[in-house]
Amino acid sequence: MLLQGKKLLITGVLTPQSLAYGIAEHALAQGAEVLLTGFGRARSLTERSARRLKPGLDVLELDVTNPAHFPALTDALRQRWDRVDGVLHSIAFAPEDALGGNFLNTPWESVQTAFRISAFSLKELSVACLPLMTQGGSIVTLDFDNRVAWPIYDWMGVCKAALEATVRYLARDLGPRGIRVNALAAGPLSTIAAKGIPGFKALERGWGTQAPLGWSAKDSHDLVARTACALLSDWLPSTTGEMIHVDGGYHAIGAPPVTPDADELPPKPAGE
């Protein structure tokens, strides 16, 4: 199996609709040992999902806004495992006033919160797991390609661009230790997080018209989960610092297909 014997730390599992849940489910099916993280009131949701994934699956405490939680996470991992082979970073949040067309009015306090949770936490999580990644491994973060500006995404888009840069710098610094770091940029998916983004439905409706392979926000979770498991496996040993797209090819196409009006078509050659 693709992940037989791998020890994976997976963040971001809340409900079975979470993208991280699908990745954990596939990882377990492919032979991995898995630990989850959760915190606060939402931890009960993570624990319920953990029981559904596999009886006895453990949930470690991790609030990425609490600096003390990272060394505690390192200790908790060391108590359970002799090593960590892979890490899934599936953590992002922006306050309501940082989204939905409010870019020019968003206060620094909201931007700071979004940046810390959505981008800086990748570095902190990587450093916390580093002492146990003694045999190399793979770190994967979930992304939404922000090399261009998007409607409605605002400061979360800026944070995702920072996340992508963080991936490259971590790849630089962790590569000599045999650790690969990559971002997985998915198209729009129907998740709890997506429901908090104003205008998400409109973005979702237009995606499939431009993606040459098509796209379903409800049915593409499995495609993303399988790609994440491939990145966490040993099958991509020289791939690092990359943004891997699972978006139906949307990113490669400049605009949706168009049909020229009749008066725009070139004249037919004589004789035809």
Side-chain angles (χ1 to χ4, degrees):
M1 291 187 285
L2 193 64
L3 295 169
Q4 185 66 46
K6 296 292 186 187
K7 300 178 187 292
L8 307 180
L9 178 69
I10 295 181
T11 68
V13 173
L14 284 176
T15 72
Q17 287 71 47
S18 303
L19 183 51
Y21 180 99
I23 295 170
E25 188 173 42
H26 275 70
L28 288 165
Q30 290 298 318
E33 295 180 53
V34 169
L35 287 170
L36 307 181
T37 71
F39 76 99
R41 290 181 296 177
R43 181 168 175 169
S44 61
L45 294 175
T46 303
E47 291 172 340
R48 188 181 308 165
S49 292
R51 291 191 293 271
R52 182 168 176 169
L53 282 165
K54 184 180 179 180
L57 194 62
D58 207 355
V59 179
L60 306 181
E61 182 80 9
L62 179 62
D63 176 358
V64 298
T65 67
N66 187 335
H69 279 204
F70 290 102
L73 175 66
T74 305
D75 291 341
L77 288 169
R78 190 177 282 117
Q79 290 170 15
R80 289 162 176 80
W81 288 341
D82 60 338
R83 70 179 196 279
V84 170
D85 300 305
V87 180
L88 177 74
H89 175 270
S90 178
I91 301 169
F93 171 77
E96 186 177 351
D97 60 357
L99 297 163
N102 197 48
F103 187 84
L104 296 179
N105 300 313
T106 305
W108 163 243
E109 291 74 18
S110 295
V111 173
Q112 182 182 43
T113 297
F115 181 83
R116 182 177 191 178
I117 295 173
S118 306
F120 186 69
S121 65
L122 174 61
K123 190 279 291 187
E124 295 281 80
L125 180 63
S126 300
V127 170
C129 293
L130 188 57
L132 286 102
M133 300 187 77
T134 54
Q135 299 180 24
S138 174
I139 298 171
V140 177
T141 185
L142 300 185
D143 188 19
F144 186 75
D145 186 349
N146 268 269
R147 295 173 298 175
V148 298
W150 293 94
I152 71 179
Y153 213 41
D154 292 359
W155 284 100
M156 180 58 85
V158 175
C159 292
K160 288 295 188 183
L163 180 72
E164 292 155 14
T166 303
V167 164
R168 293 188 288 271
Y169 280 93
L170 284 172
R172 179 198 68 183
D173 289 353
L174 301 185
R177 300 172 185 242
I179 299 171
R180 295 167 285 122
V181 187
N182 292 288
L184 197 165
L189 294 165
S190 296
T191 63
I192 292 176
K195 292 179 181 178
I197 302 175
F200 174 83
K201 287 290 185 182
L203 182 66
E204 173 192 338
R205 284 193 298 271
W207 202 272
T209 63
Q210 182 166 320
L213 292 176
W215 187 257
S216 168
K218 292 183 179 179
D219 301 329
S220 298
H221 288 245
D222 184 68
L223 305 177
V224 178
R226 282 188 279 164
T227 305
C229 286
L231 287 168
L232 290 165
S233 78
D234 294 330
W235 279 84
L236 296 164
S238 291
T239 300
T240 193
E242 285 287 353
M243 184 195 307
I244 308 297
H245 290 87
V246 185
D247 64 353
Y250 182 101
H251 72 282
I253 308 301
V258 296
T259 302
D261 295 335
D263 60 357
E264 296 177 311
L265 295 172
K268 293 182 178 180
E272 288 191 10

